[in-house]
Amino acid sequence: MIPITHKVRTAALICGLWITSCLTFAAEKPNRIVSINVCTDHLLLMLVDRTRIASLTYLAGDPHNSMIVEEIQGIHLNRATAEEVITLAPDLVVASTFNFRPTVTTLRKLGYRVKEIQLASSLQDIKTNLTNLGQAVDEIERAEALITVFDRRLRHLTYRSEKKPLLFARYEANGWTVGQNTLIADVASAAGFETIGERLGFTGRRYLSLEQLLLLQPDLIDLDYAWKESPALASEKFKHPALSELLKNTALVKVPNPAWACGSPYTLGALAKLRRARDQLDPLGLRNTL
């Protein structure tokens, strides 16, 4: 009979070897990364080599939702279902905190490593998300380099003046607009504007009637791309003659929808457009399209 003390030592040795093996595995860089959110698609492609990406979402290939359409050729695209993700055999799944909950829950129950990234509601959040994802994919130095470039460009684009901010309106399908504590509001503030939500004192997103928009007389308007789409009730307001009349006397800026939809270094492209518009607008408002 094997002495109990020997059994204990043997069991401890096996457990020790198992723990060491697990720690070694955990310490390895993930090399089959799957992203199941279009916003994490953008950040991931900036942080890791393409060879380490097993899949991005199908929205990464949609120009209405993605700034990286031209960069994803050859990368597998997924629809964020647990079944599809499992077949990809990922060693890391990157998701957003606000969607695909059934997929995230299922993957975690099955033991897959999932990193969730917050939806950016400010320019600072973009840097935080780069840091958090950089740590998860073991690319913190690359994340820090991206943040350095981001900060440098942000300082260059930020509007510095004692002049009163001008009024900026992002007017979307179904009459939605943005207020305080949103990424768009933070970008607008950096460019020398305030949003309608800041003027009216509401946070997040809210419906704004066309009548209210006309009464507020914004200095600069950005219309959702849906106004150019095929006929739909959601875009009917964009065809109203009153809005057409307003646009004759209001500057119109065209920001690609994906630049607003996801917080990433690409968001600075939206800031650049608003800052250029701010520089061109005099206190009375410049009457042209920017």
Side-chain angles (χ1 to χ4, degrees):
M1 178 180 291
I2 301 175
I4 293 178
T5 54
H6 181 71
K7 289 181 178 179
V8 171
R9 290 195 188 106
T10 301
L13 178 61
I14 293 172
C15 288
L17 290 172
W18 181 81
I19 292 171
T20 301
S21 175
C22 288
L23 290 174
T24 301
F25 176 77
E28 292 178 352
K29 279 188 177 185
N31 285 303
R32 288 196 57 79
I33 308 170
V34 172
S35 169
I36 58 173
N37 178 268
V38 67
C39 296
T40 55
D41 290 343
H42 287 71
L43 299 179
L44 186 61
L45 198 59
M46 292 181 171
L47 284 167
V48 303
D49 296 335
R50 293 167 59 92
T51 55
R52 295 174 59 195
I53 299 175
S55 184
L56 301 173
T57 70
Y58 75 99
L59 290 175
D62 179 359
H64 287 159
N65 291 281
S66 173
M67 299 292 291
I68 55 176
V69 174
E70 302 299 325
E71 302 174 43
I72 62 168
Q73 302 304 315
I75 297 178
H76 179 275
L77 302 181
N78 69 77
R79 291 187 174 269
T81 64
E83 294 84 354
E84 184 177 10
V85 172
I86 290 169
T87 62
L88 295 168
D91 49 16
L92 175 66
V93 178
V94 184
S96 171
T97 56
F98 73 96
N99 61 357
F100 301 120
R101 304 317 305 165
T103 297
V104 170
T105 300
T106 300
L107 292 173
R108 282 196 165 135
K109 284 183 177 179
L110 293 174
Y112 288 91
R113 182 184 170 202
V114 180
K115 177 65 178 179
E116 293 185 84
I117 300 297
Q118 295 283 344
L119 179 68
S121 57
S122 69
L123 291 164
Q124 177 60 46
D125 286 348
I126 295 173
K127 296 191 291 182
T128 299
N129 287 344
L130 281 169
T131 297
N132 290 340
L133 186 55
Q135 291 172 340
V137 299
D138 197 12
E139 291 289 354
I140 191 61
E141 289 186 4
R142 188 177 292 192
E144 289 172 349
L146 286 169
I147 291 170
T148 297
V149 174
F150 183 91
D151 280 335
R152 186 185 306 126
R153 192 173 178 211
L154 177 58
R155 286 193 298 270
H156 174 72
L157 292 172
T158 298
Y159 183 80
R160 294 176 179 83
S161 173
E162 297 300 320
K163 293 180 180 179
K164 181 181 178 180
L166 299 181
L167 184 59
F168 167 69
R170 162 71 174 175
Y171 201 56
E172 302 177 352
N174 283 319
W176 286 87
T177 192
V178 296
Q180 302 171 92
N181 300 330
T182 62
L183 180 60
I184 293 178
D186 201 26
V187 171
S189 177
F193 294 92
E194 65 174 333
T195 62
I196 285 178
E198 292 170 302
R199 177 73 61 88
L200 299 180
F202 68 85
T203 61
R205 293 177 179 269
R206 197 180 83 175
Y207 169 77
L208 185 79
S209 69
L210 184 54
E211 291 80 1
Q212 287 176 297
L213 180 67
L214 296 173
L215 287 172
L216 286 164
Q217 290 287 306
D219 299 285
L220 181 69
I221 294 180
D222 175 31
L223 296 177
D224 191 344
Y225 70 83
W227 74 297
K228 291 183 177 180
E229 297 299 302
S230 55
L233 289 176
S235 59
E236 282 301 301
K237 292 182 185 297
F238 297 118
K239 302 171 186 175
H240 198 287
L243 180 59
S244 299
E245 196 64 30
L246 175 67
L247 294 178
K248 290 180 182 178
N249 298 297
T250 305
L252 179 66
V253 65
K254 300 176 182 179
V255 178
N257 194 59
W260 291 136
C262 291
S264 77
Y266 288 107
T267 303
L268 292 181
L271 174 55
K273 282 181 172 288
L274 265 62
R275 174 60 197 276
R276 185 161 56 249
R278 184 64 182 85
D279 289 342
Q280 293 181 19
L281 284 166
D282 62 36
L284 298 178
L286 185 65
R287 312 310 185 191
N288 68 346
T289 298
L290 304 167

